[in-house]
């Protein structure tokens, strides 16, 4: 394949062997049309490759993906990140509905689809057919949470704790989640 040697050298140099960063860099190269399908194989635009600047870290790569999404989607994902690495559509919707009475399921679907398109979250189906979402990397949740206003984060944690408590009154399996959200909301007396 044309340009494979140059490509592999640049990929290894930019990722320092980190598999996650290497995969992310390959995705970016495809998005930027630096590597592309040609006939029945792949080809490299060596001129574009020589001018391309790879992100220097996973954090830079994640930040660049987050910067591509709309501010509203970023806000919604920030709320989801407070819930943990994995979250359910209905639970997130109930919390967001509390913060904005005009918020709709369509708004949430649009934001989640934009997030999937930008490879920030993954969507899976459970055996029972429930839709679950998870963040593609822990650094995504860390970055989103770090960019939230502390007062808003506390409010979301409090709403999450109240919704969990309401939905799971007799379920002892959520006690750690409840404790976590109440502590983050600074309601440790609960």
């Amino acid at each position: 394949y044309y340009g494979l040697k140059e490509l592999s050298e640049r990929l290894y140099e930019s990722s320092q062997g980190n598999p996650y960063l290497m995969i992310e860099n390959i995705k970016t190269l495809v998005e930027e049309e630096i590597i592309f399908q040609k006939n029945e194989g792949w080809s490299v635009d060596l001129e574009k490759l020589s001018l391309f600047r790879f992100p220097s870290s996973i954090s830079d790569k994640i930040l660049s993906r987050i910067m591509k999404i709309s501010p509203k989607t970023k806000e919604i994902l920030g709320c989801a990140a407070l819930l943990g690495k994995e979250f359910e559509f209905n639970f997130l919707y109930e919390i967001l509905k509390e913060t904005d009475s005009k918020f709709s399921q369509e708004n949430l679907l649009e934001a989640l689809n934009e997030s999937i398109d930008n490879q920030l979250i993954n969507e899976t189906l459970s055996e029972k057919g429930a839709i679950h979402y998870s963040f593609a990397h822990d650094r995504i949740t860390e970055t989103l949470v770090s960019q939230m206003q502390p007062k808003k984060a506390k409010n979301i944690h409090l709403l999450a704790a109240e919704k969990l408590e309401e939905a799971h009154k007799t379920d002892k399996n959520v006690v750690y989640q409840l404790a976590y959200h109440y502590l983050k909301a600074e309601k440790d007396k609960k």
Side-chain angles (χ1 to χ4, degrees):
Y1 295 96
Y2 178 72
L4 186 60
K5 181 178 183 278
E6 294 87 346
L7 174 65
S8 60
E9 287 172 359
R10 288 286 313 274
L11 278 170
Y12 184 78
E13 177 188 305
S14 68
S15 66
Q16 299 154 359
N18 181 315
Y20 180 79
L21 189 55
M22 191 172 290
I23 290 167
E24 289 301 310
N25 285 341
I26 291 169
K27 288 176 185 177
T28 301
L29 291 173
V30 171
E31 290 169 2
E32 299 291 327
E33 297 178 352
I34 294 170
I35 57 176
F36 51 92
Q37 283 193 306
K38 185 175 183 182
N39 300 326
E40 291 190 22
W42 289 87
S43 192
V44 180
D45 184 327
L46 289 176
E47 184 178 339
K48 281 185 179 179
L49 180 63
S50 69
L51 299 172
F52 185 74
R53 184 183 170 282
F54 286 96
S56 59
S57 68
I58 292 173
S59 296
D60 288 346
K61 183 63 191 157
I62 287 170
L63 200 52
S64 73
R65 287 201 184 278
I66 290 172
M67 297 307 284
K68 289 180 181 178
I69 61 176
S70 71
K72 188 66 179 168
T73 296
K74 184 177 169 185
E75 184 181 333
I76 291 167
L77 271 190
C79 293
L82 292 172
L83 302 179
K85 183 168 171 44
E86 297 178 358
F87 58 95
E88 292 181 11
F89 180 91
N90 288 334
F91 189 64
L92 179 58
Y93 173 70
E94 289 301 317
I95 290 169
L96 293 169
K97 185 81 173 145
E98 289 285 328
T99 64
D100 178 2
S101 62
K102 295 178 184 173
F103 191 78
S104 69
Q105 289 186 341
E106 290 77 22
N107 298 134
L108 181 54
L109 277 173
E110 287 172 13
L112 294 175
N113 286 331
E114 182 182 0
S115 302
I116 291 167
D117 291 345
N118 283 285
Q119 301 167 1
L120 295 168
I121 63 171
N122 302 308
E123 178 183 64
T124 56
L125 284 175
S126 72
E127 291 177 6
K128 295 180 181 179
I131 299 173
H132 295 273
Y133 296 91
S134 61
F135 285 92
H137 196 278
D138 291 337
R139 294 265 174 97
I140 297 169
T141 56
E142 291 169 12
T143 303
L144 289 165
V145 168
S146 73
Q147 294 179 351
M148 285 197 80
Q149 297 287 339
K151 186 176 179 180
K152 180 168 181 140
K154 286 179 191 176
N155 185 40
I156 297 298
H157 279 298
L158 182 59
L159 286 169
E162 291 170 349
K163 294 287 180 190
L164 274 171
E165 196 169 29
E166 185 180 304
H168 302 278
K169 289 181 181 178
T170 59
D171 187 356
K172 304 264 188 256
N173 293 325
V174 298
V175 71
Y176 294 111
Q177 285 177 291
L178 282 170
Y180 170 76
H181 287 298
Y182 276 126
L183 283 171
K184 289 291 186 176
E186 297 182 356
K187 300 287 184 191
D188 48 350
K189 300 282 190 254
K190 192 74 171 156

